[in-house]
Amino acid sequence: IISQKNRLSESQEKAVNLKKDLAEMQEWMTQAEEEYLEKDFEYKSPEELENAVEEMKRAKEDVLQKEVRVKILKDNIKMLATKVPSSGQDLEVWSCWIELLQYLDLETAWLNNLEERVQMTGNLPDKLDAVNDALESLESVLRHPADNRTQIRELGQTLIDGGILDDIISEKLEAFNARYEELSHLAVSRQITLEQQLQTMRETDHMLQVLQESLGDLDRQLTSYLTDRIDAFQMPQEAQ
């Protein structure tokens, strides 16, 4: 009897918590809908449009988080209805998802930095130092360990193999991998271009240096020749 009462109490507690979660989710949906209806979609300047895009990105991430919570909430309701203990599976899923998002945030920040460095190499002055500095800056970002990306792949695959949030995760990983591949190829291509440009500039500088040294030698030879000719011309006059 005591065991039955404990199980009943546990079920009631879970039901209360689920009801609370549902109420919070409904409140969030109501608030989101009100904000959407009140939103002014007429943007009068590029700054307003840029701010609106950033706000839409944040809203999309918020909705994604809520989709995860809804998925876990539905699973909990099913388990409670069938009187099967959850054994902490929802907590494991949420923990794995949060860890995945953390690694994605880290790698996204690196990709943003890489994209910025690539863009900085677009309009460089035609100077050896400027090209060399840009190349070294780009190479320093490209020397990025692959540990985080390995964690992203493993965490995502673990969740997908378990049939958990597979659509959401697949979409997010596909977008991340596509951007990673695009920026990586662009950065490596720009690195090769800068290396070739730097090599050409060094060869040109060396050639100019050799020419300047040759011109200096020629100038000295001409000066010596003219001096000798002048001396030779003046000697007879002095003799007279």
Side-chain angles (χ1 to χ4, degrees):
I1 295 176
I2 295 176
S3 178
Q4 289 177 348
K5 287 183 178 180
N6 289 337
R7 286 197 300 269
L8 179 60
S9 176
E10 183 180 353
S11 297
Q12 288 176 340
E13 183 179 357
K14 288 183 179 180
V16 170
N17 290 334
L18 287 174
K19 185 177 180 181
K20 181 181 177 181
D21 289 342
L22 282 172
E24 291 178 354
M25 188 66 64
Q26 290 173 345
E27 182 180 356
W28 175 83
M29 291 179 64
T30 301
Q31 182 180 355
E33 184 176 2
E34 290 175 353
E35 292 178 354
Y36 178 81
L37 292 175
E38 294 174 358
K39 193 69 177 176
D40 182 11
F41 292 99
E42 293 185 2
Y43 306 109
K44 300 178 178 62
S45 68
E47 290 78 11
E48 290 178 340
L49 181 58
E50 183 178 357
N51 292 335
V53 171
E54 291 298 324
E55 185 176 346
M56 290 176 63
K57 289 181 180 178
R58 289 192 295 269
K60 183 178 180 181
E61 287 295 325
D62 196 14
V63 170
L64 186 59
Q65 294 281 3
K66 292 299 184 295
E67 288 180 353
V68 176
R69 295 296 295 175
V70 168
K71 169 67 175 177
I72 296 174
L73 194 60
K74 288 168 63 178
D75 292 343
N76 285 343
I77 292 173
K78 289 179 181 179
M79 282 187 273
L80 184 61
T82 56
K83 299 180 181 180
V84 176
S86 63
S87 68
Q89 183 181 4
D90 56 330
L91 182 60
E92 292 177 8
V93 172
W94 184 248
S95 175
C96 190
W97 170 252
I98 291 299
E99 188 176 4
L100 175 61
L101 288 183
Q102 289 173 346
Y103 280 113
L104 281 171
D105 286 342
L106 289 174
E107 288 303 282
T108 298
W110 174 76
L111 285 175
N112 292 339
N113 189 20
L114 179 62
E115 184 176 24
E116 181 180 350
R117 299 296 175 90
V118 170
Q119 290 174 350
M120 289 172 60
T121 64
N123 296 312
L124 293 174
D126 193 18
K127 296 181 179 180
L128 191 146
D129 289 343
V131 176
N132 185 63
D133 290 344
L135 178 59
E136 289 182 352
S137 177
L138 181 59
E139 288 176 338
S140 68
V141 180
L142 284 173
R143 288 192 294 268
H144 180 68
D147 297 350
N148 289 345
R149 195 175 181 215
T150 300
Q151 289 292 330
I152 289 173
R153 183 174 60 253
E154 292 178 352
L155 287 168
Q157 196 60 50
T158 298
L159 291 171
I160 292 174
D161 290 344
I164 303 169
L165 312 171
D166 48 350
D167 292 338
I168 298 175
I169 293 173
S170 296
E171 179 181 354
K172 199 169 186 66
L173 292 183
E174 182 179 350
F176 167 77
N177 289 328
R179 188 181 181 216
Y180 181 93
E181 294 297 331
E182 179 183 1
L183 279 177
S184 296
H185 290 159
L186 179 60
V188 171
S189 176
R190 191 62 57 85
Q191 178 188 17
I192 294 173
T193 299
L194 289 175
E195 289 173 344
Q196 294 173 343
Q197 184 179 357
L198 189 62
Q199 180 65 25
T200 300
M201 294 178 75
R202 284 173 175 166
E203 292 174 353
T204 302
D205 280 0
H206 177 69
M207 186 183 302
L208 288 174
Q209 184 179 357
V210 171
L211 287 174
Q212 288 175 348
E213 292 176 354
S214 299
L215 286 173
D217 293 339
L218 181 59
D219 183 60
R220 285 189 292 272
Q221 291 175 4
L222 286 173
T223 301
S224 176
Y225 173 78
L226 290 174
T227 301
D228 293 342
R229 293 284 294 176
I230 292 173
D231 290 343
F233 178 75
Q234 289 177 346
M235 283 181 64
Q237 293 180 345
E238 293 175 355
Q240 292 176 0

